[in-house]
Amino acid sequence: MVSKAVRPRVPAAQVPEPRSESDRSQTPVVSLRRASARVGGRTLWSDVDLDLGAGEFVAVLGPNGVGKSTLVKMLLGTVAPASGEVRVLGEQPGRAGDRVGYLPQRRSFDTSLRIRGIDVVRLGLDGDRWGVPLPWPARLSARRRQQRDRLTDVIELVDASGYAHRPIGACSGGEQQRLLIAQALVRQPQLLLLDEPLDSLDLSHQGAVAALVGRICRERRMSVVMVAHDVNPILPWLDRVVYIAEGGVAAGRPEEVITTQTLTRLYGVPVEVLRAGDGRLVVVGAPEPPARHSDRHAS
Ligand SMILES: Nc1ncnc2c1ncn2[C@@H]1O[C@H](COP(=O)(O)OP(=O)(O)O)[C@@H](O)[C@H]1O
Ligand SMILES: [Mg+2]
């Protein structure tokens, strides 16, 4: 059973710095107040409250079809809340422009696709939005230089320099995902929305991509909203969890949300959160195949 106070059990070098209280006392990067989602005449979820501070990482978890992507789209401003209030970087969703980066739910690249990784990253740039005020033609060359520097920086940031000039179709799933994350990062957003970026990666790549995003989140004080099926690879980095299920939504700290009591209430049937021999958490009795969660927060 999971009810103990929890602390990340990860290698010391990976343990994130504790947050300062000032991170949470400033205007939240994302704020939901009694927000509800309704699509096609059906209420997906309701009464969700959430505050996400600068440099914080939240996971949106739950089975297929419960409205995880809809929550991300609400933060983007493409789906309006049915009720309640949603603010992103202090504004109505959709108004924060470049300050929000977005990686949609995964689509795969054809292995024969010849476009290079670096060109995929470049698609994330929109020169018109951040040109420096210099006279023409100095402005053009300065802008090109700035674009080139940003591309180089972001490709280094995601450790993709070794394969960024290869055709994206020839890159592995993990490499493609790093390049796509670079595309979402290239305009240096304050908020990064990632919809199932770990989907279709094997476990070791899931851990590596999660660590990459967690590290950038901490180092650059960028806030992250990540939709995931399995909280296991991201648990060491999480500050908040939003768990959506048929029976409702629970939002809070991971150790408050992923418990027998909370998940039983959410699913509406008896669900147990057990600790496996390897220290991971296993959710048993959920209507879908059991979700597995890490216990790296447990002490
Ligand atoms: N624009 C829409 N109109 C009608 N139904 C929708 C629309 N968008 C999503 N849905 C439905 O809402 C439910 C939740 O979708 P989604 O947010 O994509 O779920 P998840 O990401 O959790 O799998 C699904 O049943 C989906 O078919
Ligand atoms: Mg989805």
Side-chain angles (χ1 to χ4, degrees), residues 70-87:
T70 302
L71 172 55
V72 169
K73 288 173 191 164
M74 204 176 273
L75 300 179
L76 275 175
T78 58
V79 172
S83 61
E85 196 187 9
V86 179
R87 308 283 286 179

Side-chain angles (χ1 to χ4, degrees), residues 119-249:
D119 299 319
V120 170
V121 179
R122 190 180 283 114
L123 291 174
L125 282 171
D126 179 349
D128 289 343
R129 299 205 203 183
W130 45 268
V132 285
L134 293 174
W136 184 272
R139 182 164 54 187
L140 188 64
S141 60
R143 186 175 290 175
R144 284 210 184 110
R145 242 190 339 267
Q146 193 182 23
Q147 291 199 347
R148 203 186 48 218
D149 290 349
R150 284 214 187 181
L151 270 177
T152 308
D153 286 352
V154 81
I155 285 168
E156 277 175 17
L157 186 66
V158 302
D159 294 330
S161 310
Y163 47 86
H165 288 84
R166 270 190 230 150
I168 188 115
C171 293
S172 73
E175 290 167 350
Q176 290 178 0
Q177 207 58 317
R178 281 171 188 266
L179 290 161
L180 288 169
I181 290 170
Q183 185 195 78
L185 285 172
V186 73
R187 285 198 256 136
Q188 302 178 346
Q190 288 169 257
L191 172 64
L192 183 62
L193 307 174
L194 301 169
D195 198 345
E196 303 217 22
L198 308 183
D199 206 28
S200 80
L201 299 183
D202 63 37
L203 266 181
S204 70
H205 281 114
Q206 286 186 20
V209 171
L212 167 76
V213 174
R215 176 171 57 80
I216 297 168
C217 168
R218 297 296 154 103
E219 287 175 5
R220 310 230 160 171
R221 276 176 56 82
M222 178 186 67
S223 306
V224 174
V225 176
M226 183 189 284
V227 178
H229 258 294
D230 183 4
V231 72
N232 186 30
I234 47 179
L235 199 49
W237 307 99
L238 290 186
D239 300 294
R240 290 285 181 277
V241 170
V242 178
Y243 207 116
I244 310 178
E246 297 290 338
V249 182

Side-chain angles (χ1 to χ4, degrees), residues 39-40 42 44 63-70 105:
V39 294
R42 186 160 64 98
L44 294 175
N64 279 331
V66 291
K68 302 183 300 297
S69 295
T70 302
Q105 197 160 354

